[in-house]
Amino acid sequence: MQRQATFEAGYSEGRRESLCARCRGFMGLCGKKVCPILVKARTYLGLGTLSGSDIAGSAPPGVFVGSYGYPKVLAGPLIPPMSGDTMHMDSEAWLGNSFDEILQNRFQLVRSKSVIEVHSAADPSGMLEKIQELVLSEKPVDTEASFEKRPDMRVSFSMREAPTGPSADLKALSVIDNPSVPRKVDRVVSDTDYRAAPGVAELFDGGISQRQITRLFSVGMLGVKDNRRLVPTAWSITAVDDIVGKSLADRVRYYPTIDEYRLYRAEALANNVVILLTPTPWMFENLELWHASAPNYRVDADFELYEGRKEYAGNTAGAYYAARAPVLEYLDNAGRQAGAIAFLEVKNDWIPLGVWRFRELAKEAMKTAPQTFDTLEKAVAALPGLLYSPVQHWLKASSLYRYMREQRRLTDYF
Amino acid sequence: MFKAVINAEVFKDAIEAVSTLVDEAKFRLTKDGMSARAVDPANVAMVAFDVNAKAFDTFEATEGEIGIDLVRFMDILGMASKDDKLQLNLNEETRKLEIRTGGLAYTLSLLDPSSIRKEPKVPSLELPAKIVLNGTELRRAVKAAEKVSDHMALGVQDKTFYVEAEGDLDKVRLEIPESSLVSLKSTGNVRSLFSLDYLNDIVKSLGKAEQVSIDLGSDYPVKFTFGIAGGNGTVVYLLAPRIESE
């Protein structure tokens, strides 16, 4: 297996001892006073360039909307202390990057905060209007901001969002550039009678990056005017994954099914994703295993059958929707229907970077040439070579695997 | 040509028997009534639906086929009140179905019948057990089973009909002795396992029936038969089993 250096030499020792995946970076379960990963992370903050309480730079054009205090939330653009092409800092196209590079990208962005009522998105003014203007752009926008105080150097990790760096209360914000707005975005955003879900689907079909759709969704620029809200970044990521997935599934359900079993795979850093496609009508299951749960290997699972699911996929949460969308996108492009089981594996040297990892890895996996099999048994027999953990734990947790083996068809009885 | 008048609720309940399983279906019209055969995309469940012209206040039709988007059709039928009359009229020129009820006039675009999944062949099954019971009993059993598992067994043991579901932790069992059933005929003990996902759809319609007859075997498809439209129609569901494997 190809091992990528997750941290510099000398750091591996700390990794072995601390196993931050154990507490997933939140609670200091390893017993150390200071989490070594967080210490490491802090060194990437652009300390030198951030001495004052003012900042000028090209915003990527990222935005962060918090969930704390909902419906009065903290929202504001992410601004780096530098100019030029900064799109990569908020792109989520980081599969080829190391932990160090990803953290470096994230921690150079200063998260500006300003208290905004979520409902004010129905009739934006002041700070929110400027934030919305910035988010419309598909290119970095030159921005100046002044803060109440020097940015706070704490960093935070979350299961769903990419990590965030220093933050500061926003005093004033000015957008210097004219944002470059794709025509499609302009049309959907300015239509205040257009519901959010079809709006998201149209933008996605129109080739607008999912990243930008999520930002627009998050700052309340989609939907019928009176219903527009700010949506905390964490929720908007999954909402957009879900809407995109559902709209694709509505088409995929009518395509002819594939005629063999297929296995796809992609891995990067401490994550491994395997997708099994089956010659059945559309159904989907998401299985997630953390190596930190060894030797019992706990597998979390959620699934849906042909009709789709009505309740939130509470066991695997955002990862379910993040992995489902790219599989459906692939099927839609191929004009074929299939069932799918996604195996998401998280190894021990992992620190939480956000749910985008699974979306991008699933997308990457679906680009590879699959191994093909004529029976489910043969496909499952090939799984041990693709996963780093014992297959029986995965299969035991999988409802769809059991369903596919057990469910007979009426055509078997003619 | 197709022109008919019928009680809105009766018609809605009848159509629901099909719409619960598939999103679109081909209805065959004759001078004696209308019928449909449809199978779900996974070939696991099938419905055969027949309504006699006698179920209608007036019914005139010539031989033909119409393709209906059942999701939209049910939406429209949902707008009718319980005692409303429903007037159906097929416009041959526009290939649209005109639906009038309670002063509302809808025009439903029909689907090209050739674009709808082919009608299934109906497997001929010789099943050793036949149970007749009230539909609500079966619906109750399915609802109870759903709380603990995603599949459920139907069986007959020593002249007692039972329904059983076993999840990872919990188990539920409902037993109905012959004396509490309408009738039970069985040449021995039988047991088959079915997906609750399908049963749940099926009992939506079947749960309203006074009498449902269940033809059952061991590890074999089950057949549910019940009357609709006041006895002037029948619905048959076939459902393929799950076979437990080690």
Side-chain angles (χ1 to χ4, degrees):
Chain A
M1 108 193 214
Q2 179 203 352
R3 264 197 85 88
Q4 282 172 278
T6 53
F7 287 95
E8 306 293 328
Y11 195 73
S12 58
E13 203 184 317
R15 186 186 70 223
R16 199 166 353 102
E17 282 168 21
S18 68
L19 284 182
C20 265
R22 187 181 293 165
C23 70
R24 303 176 178 185
F26 292 126
M27 293 165 287
L29 289 185
C30 56
K32 295 200 168 183
K33 283 208 181 87
V34 183
C35 173
I37 287 179
L38 293 184
V39 170
K40 181 77 177 175
R42 222 154 289 166
T43 63
Y44 292 118
L45 301 178
L47 286 168
T49 47
L50 266 181
S51 46
S53 60
D54 292 320
I55 192 170
S58 307
V63 63
F64 185 91
V65 181
S67 61
Y68 182 79
Y70 194 91
K72 280 201 171 87
V73 297
L74 292 171
L78 304 169
I79 311 168
M82 62 187 74
S83 307
D85 186 3
T86 54
M87 280 311 274
H88 62 280
M89 290 184 177
D90 196 44
S91 70
E92 295 188 344
W94 300 319
L95 279 188
N97 295 78
S98 65
F99 278 123
D100 290 12
E101 288 162 336
I102 295 170
L103 293 181
Q104 217 159 356
N105 279 333
R106 296 302 299 172
F107 292 157
Q108 284 174 7
L109 292 170
V110 177
R111 174 161 63 94
S112 62
K113 296 183 291 192
S114 139
V115 179
I116 302 178
E117 230 279 330
V118 294
H119 297 94
S120 64
D123 192 13
S125 61
M127 200 64 88
L128 181 56
E129 210 173 4
K130 287 182 197 156
I131 296 171
Q132 290 192 339
E133 187 185 341
L134 197 133
V135 167
L136 279 175
S137 178
E138 59 172 350
K139 296 203 189 94
V141 183
D142 286 341
T143 313
E144 280 175 9
S146 56
F147 302 123
E148 299 288 350
K149 284 192 289 199
R150 190 168 173 273
D152 183 338
M153 289 304 162
R154 271 177 300 186
V155 297
S156 73
F157 289 88
S158 132
M159 297 305 290
R160 202 162 313 181
E161 306 138 51
T164 51
S167 63
D169 292 331
L170 201 52
K171 192 156 73 182
L173 172 74
S174 49
V175 180
I176 301 175
D177 258 355
N178 278 327
S180 108
V181 186
R183 192 174 307 159
K184 188 122 216 155
V185 170
D186 186 44
R187 209 177 61 70
V188 173
V189 162
S190 49
D191 187 344
T192 52
D193 294 317
Y194 200 14
R195 293 177 51 225
V200 166
E202 182 178 337
L203 290 174
F204 185 82
D205 289 339
I208 305 298
S209 84
Q210 196 173 335
R211 191 84 190 121
Q212 192 180 7
I213 301 172
T214 306
R215 288 186 201 116
L216 293 166
F217 191 92
S218 164
V219 297
M221 299 187 81
L222 297 172
V224 178
K225 189 170 182 14
D226 289 343
N227 294 338
R228 292 193 175 188
R229 301 288 131 89
L230 280 189
V231 182
T233 307
W235 310 350
S236 65
I237 291 170
T238 296
V240 170
D241 275 333
D242 186 33
I243 294 169
V244 165
K246 276 196 183 120
S247 83
L248 291 168
D250 281 342
R251 293 203 290 265
V252 166
R253 273 195 270 268
Y254 292 96
Y255 298 147
T257 53
I258 61 171
D259 34 22
E260 76 248 310
Y261 292 86
R262 301 182 189 169
L263 278 171
Y264 299 80
R265 172 171 185 252
E267 67 173 327
L269 289 182
N271 300 142
N272 180 30
V273 169
V274 174
I275 311 271
L276 167 67
L277 293 188
T278 60
T280 61
W282 165 249
M283 51 181 87
F284 178 75
E285 182 166 45
N286 192 52
L287 302 171
E288 184 175 329
L289 178 148
W290 288 66
H291 279 225
S293 66
N296 296 329
Y297 290 109
R298 177 198 157 105
V299 178
D300 292 311
D302 285 298
F303 73 98
E304 66 185 57
L305 294 175
Y306 184 76
E307 307 276 330
R309 56 184 299 138
K310 294 194 178 73
E311 289 107 39
Y312 182 62
N315 299 326
T316 58
Y320 181 89
Y321 301 95
R324 189 183 65 173
V327 173
L328 282 162
E329 191 182 1
Y330 167 83
L331 290 171
D332 185 41
N333 286 337
R336 301 304 289 272
Q337 180 170 196
I341 301 180
F343 303 77
L344 315 183
E345 196 169 17
V346 181
K347 292 195 265 175
N348 276 339
D349 41 3
W350 173 245
I351 52 173
L353 291 180
V355 83
W356 60 269
R357 297 281 302 175
F358 288 137
R359 185 186 319 112
E360 297 304 316
L361 272 172
K363 216 179 270 179
E364 199 64 25
M366 299 317 293
K367 281 183 202 155
T368 61
Q371 298 184 47
T372 60
F373 308 89
D374 54 1
T375 66
L376 182 59
E377 287 67 36
K378 285 183 193 163
V380 166
L383 276 175
L386 303 176
L387 295 166
Y388 294 100
S389 42
V391 175
Q392 77 262 27
H393 299 285
W394 296 91
L395 297 182
K396 201 165 156 256
S398 170
S399 302
L400 282 197
Y401 172 61
R402 184 163 173 204
Y403 179 83
M404 286 170 183
R405 271 189 323 158
E406 293 184 358
Q407 181 64 61
R408 294 293 177 271
R409 301 171 188 198
L410 287 170
T411 42
D412 300 338
Y413 296 91
F414 285 147
Chain B
M1 196 269 292
F2 172 53
K3 205 172 172 163
V5 179
I6 186 168
N7 175 288
E9 199 192 12
V10 168
F11 195 65
K12 189 176 153 224
D13 284 351
I15 296 295
E16 192 188 16
V18 185
S19 75
T20 184
L21 217 54
V22 289
D23 289 344
E24 43 193 51
K26 215 177 335 187
F27 286 82
R28 190 176 296 278
L29 300 165
T30 65
K31 64 178 176 23
D32 300 320
M34 66 193 290
S35 63
R37 304 277 177 275
V39 64
D40 90 294
N43 276 311
V44 171
M46 195 192 112
V47 57
F49 161 96
D50 290 278
V51 183
N52 197 295
K54 275 182 270 177
F56 295 80
D57 297 356
T58 65
F59 185 92
E60 290 171 69
T62 49
E63 296 268 326
E65 268 184 352
I66 52 174
I68 293 183
D69 180 331
L70 292 168
V71 179
R72 275 160 47 216
F73 197 38
M74 283 303 283
D75 248 4
I76 293 173
L77 296 180
M79 286 298 296
S81 318
K82 230 174 153 186
D83 301 321
D84 279 352
K85 289 283 172 222
L86 200 68
Q87 287 181 43
L88 302 166
N89 184 25
L90 175 66
N91 187 325
E92 296 278 2
E93 262 165 50
T94 59
R95 291 304 292 171
K96 284 178 188 194
L97 187 65
E98 295 162 5
I99 306 159
R100 287 171 190 278
T101 179
L104 299 164
Y106 292 97
T107 313
L108 180 73
S109 297
L110 296 174
L111 305 172
D112 177 358
S114 66
S115 73
I116 297 174
R117 208 172 315 118
K118 240 176 54 208
E119 288 176 348
K121 280 187 285 180
V122 183
S124 56
L125 305 168
E126 294 287 331
L127 295 160
K130 189 180 194 79
I131 304 108
V132 182
L133 80 174
N134 189 301
T136 46
E137 291 262 20
L138 198 61
R139 179 163 61 183
R140 221 177 106 232
V142 169
K143 296 285 166 206
E146 257 193 330
K147 310 240 181 285
V148 302
S149 183
D150 65 348
H151 52 279
M152 159 176 136
L154 298 176
V156 173
Q157 189 172 28
D158 306 328
K159 291 284 171 192
T160 297
F161 172 64
Y162 68 89
V163 169
E164 190 177 72
E166 199 171 345
D168 290 338
L169 302 167
D170 312 314
K171 192 173 164 174
V172 58
R173 186 178 164 101
L174 172 76
E175 289 187 359
I176 311 176
E178 191 178 1
S179 56
S180 307
L181 295 166
V182 178
S183 72
L184 186 146
K185 267 180 242 148
S186 176
T187 53
N189 292 345
V190 294
R191 178 189 164 95
S192 296
L193 200 65
F194 302 97
S195 286
L196 275 167
D197 190 56
Y198 285 98
L199 280 175
N200 194 29
D201 283 345
I202 287 174
V203 295
K204 267 182 211 156
S205 170
L206 173 155
K208 291 175 188 161
E210 285 272 320
Q211 279 196 6
V212 177
S213 88
I214 307 173
D215 290 286
L216 195 62
S218 284
D219 287 340
Y220 226 68
V222 61
K223 182 170 150 189
F224 298 102
T225 311
F226 58 97
I228 49 169
N232 289 313
T234 53
V235 171
V236 176
Y237 286 118
L238 288 178
L239 178 61
R242 286 175 70 146
I243 309 286
E244 275 173 300
S245 51
E246 289 317 310

